Structures are given as C-alpha cells and as structure tokens.
Amino acid sequence: MSAPFSESVIVSRLRAAGCVFAEDEARLLISTAATPDALAAMVDRRAGGLPLEHVLGWAEFCGLRIAVDPGVFVPRRRTEFLVRRAAVAATGLGRPAVVVDLCCGSGALGAALAGILDRAELHAADIDPAAVRCARRNVAAVGGRVYEGDLYDPLPAALRGRVDVLLANVPYVPTEEVGLLPPEARIHEARVALDGGADGLDVLRRVAERAPRWLAPGGSLLVETSEHQAARAVGTVAGSGLIPRVASCEELYATVVVGTMPAP
C-alpha cells in the first residue's frame, strides 16, 4: 500500500502526541490500514488520544488477535498471567473444563483460556452491552456463549455447581483513583470496567459471595488484583468459604488471588 506519508512522518507525529512506542505503533497502523485514506484517519485518531487497540480494532492477547471495539476495556498484558494460572487450575479433569468468564469485557480471557485447553465449555457475561457485542465475536470463535447482565444473573441455572474455572477480571481501581489513570483508560474505556468502589474491592466481594453456589467441588475462582489489595482480597475470598492463595508474576507486575472450592 502506498502510504499518504512516510513511516518516519507517522512516527514523528505519534511521538509528538506522546506515544512512547511510536515506531512499533506506526508499523502496526501501516500494516492494518486497508487504504491510504484509512491510514491517514487511523493516524489522526491515534494522535488524538484514542487507544491504539481501538484504532486498530484488535488487541494482541495470549498470542491471539482479540477484537476490541471503541469504549470496550482493552485486555492488559499482565492479565495473561491470570489466564496461565487458570490453565493450571483446569488441568487433570479428564473432560472438557466448564469455564465462566465474568466481567468478560471483550471476552479475551475466556477465548484465550479455551484456546489453551483445546476442550472447554465456555460461558461469559458482562453488564455492558457494548462489551457483550464485542465479546460475542471473540467467544463465538472458540464455540462459547456470551450473556448480558450483572455478574451471575444472566448465566444458565444449569451451570450451578458445575463450574471448574471461574475467571473474574473485576474492576479493582478505587473510585478516587480512577481520575489518576492514563487518559486512554479513563476517557475511552467504560467506567464500569475500571471503578471498583471505595477500596477497589466492591465487585470482588459480590463475585466471591456467590462463587460457592456455582463452583464444582475443587473448582477455582481466579481474580486479578493489585499487590497492595491482595491481603484484603484473600480475606474476602476466604470469607466466602473458598480456600485462598496468592500467585504473582514480577515480570508482568501481576497479582492473582485463587479461591478453590473445597472437595466434599
């Protein structure tokens, strides 16, 4: 494709707009744009502050290209650690794992985990209609289903007591800290996907409280949290009757709390 301006010009414009990885972003924009006019429009949107993933229409996550529509939460690379821990939790079942992805956003976590496991019965849910529309594209590709509603409410009742892996990448930013997030997040992503209440744990409390009704014996709830919230998150998970543990990854700066349903 003949670009309307050179890669070096695009890099300069992106760098001037504050894009730290301007060279990489310029190459992605050039390779994704179908026409010179489309490239020009994409560069304008990115220089104007729209998240790169929303400009491209996809985000790379666990080696997959996940469709990400405007306004939908962009999956973070650190959350790949949660998916890896979930894959460990799902091993050794001898049958397809029953996976539920709550607060699913684009459906990235469930889709990635289903791809790792090869065989899984995948269900996902989100309260945001825009996220649900986006997730259906990603989750359908791996044979899963997506429901619109608040946490467990839209899930089929037949899943109660059958869930082997319950992924819940809940919002965990304290309300007063949402305004400190980078503009790409606080302006262009749905607040419901970011704001975790006064201490950042409001949604986790609701997820943990009802998790035992849905988990199979030995099944696990996995949630991402911040390092300084981990102790309180562990207490919340333990208070619901699950057996908690913490896993962390220094490379990705990721903290995951796992709560396992006791076997009878």
Side-chain angles (χ1 to χ4, degrees):
M1 179 183 69
S2 176
F5 34 79
S6 67
E7 180 176 337
S8 62
V9 171
I10 296 174
V11 169
S12 297
R13 182 154 181 221
L14 295 178
R15 189 176 290 121
C19 300
V20 177
F21 303 104
E23 292 83 359
D24 293 336
E25 293 192 11
R27 286 191 288 271
L28 285 170
L29 293 171
I30 291 170
S31 66
T32 301
T35 67
D37 287 344
L39 175 59
M42 291 171 75
V43 173
D44 285 344
R45 292 197 296 272
R46 180 59 182 135
L50 196 67
L52 175 66
E53 294 81 3
H54 289 164
V55 175
L56 296 173
W58 55 269
E60 183 176 346
F61 185 77
C62 291
L64 303 176
R65 280 196 176 188
I66 299 294
V68 181
D69 295 335
V72 175
F73 183 81
V74 175
R76 282 27 172 190
R77 183 168 178 261
R78 65 173 173 270
T79 309
E80 293 182 1
F81 179 64
L82 189 153
V83 174
R84 296 204 298 264
R85 299 308 306 172
V88 172
T91 58
L93 293 175
R95 55 172 173 77
V98 178
V99 176
V100 169
D101 182 2
L102 289 185
C103 305
C104 70
S106 65
L109 278 67
L113 180 58
I116 292 172
L117 298 179
D118 291 328
R119 297 190 305 156
E121 178 187 338
L122 173 61
H123 303 264
D126 201 287
I127 197 171
D128 180 10
V132 169
R133 288 192 297 271
C134 183
R136 282 182 174 145
R137 292 154 58 198
N138 294 310
V139 171
V142 292
R145 298 185 63 186
V146 183
Y147 312 88
E148 182 180 333
D150 186 26
L151 299 180
Y152 302 95
D153 290 351
L155 296 177
L159 288 174
R160 288 177 181 263
R162 294 185 54 234
V163 179
D164 299 303
V165 177
L166 177 55
L167 299 164
N169 192 24
V170 300
Y172 57 88
V173 179
T175 300
E176 65 178 14
E177 296 180 18
V178 172
L180 304 177
L181 293 173
E184 291 180 342
R186 58 183 165 81
I187 295 174
H188 297 288
E189 294 179 329
R191 181 155 185 137
V192 70
L194 304 170
D195 192 339
D199 65 352
L201 299 178
D202 280 1
V203 183
L204 171 58
R205 291 187 185 95
R206 296 178 58 215
V207 169
E209 179 185 11
R210 297 173 64 185
R213 307 175 202 172
W214 295 86
L215 288 171
S220 294
L221 164 68
L222 297 99
V223 296
E224 181 178 278
T225 187
S226 68
E227 184 178 9
H228 74 271
Q229 292 170 316
R232 282 175 293 162
V234 164
T236 297
V237 169
S240 71
L242 303 179
I243 302 171
R245 65 183 185 279
V246 178
S248 59
C249 175
E250 292 185 5
E251 177 189 358
L252 296 177
Y253 196 59
T255 301
V256 170
V257 174
V258 183
T260 302
M261 185 72 174

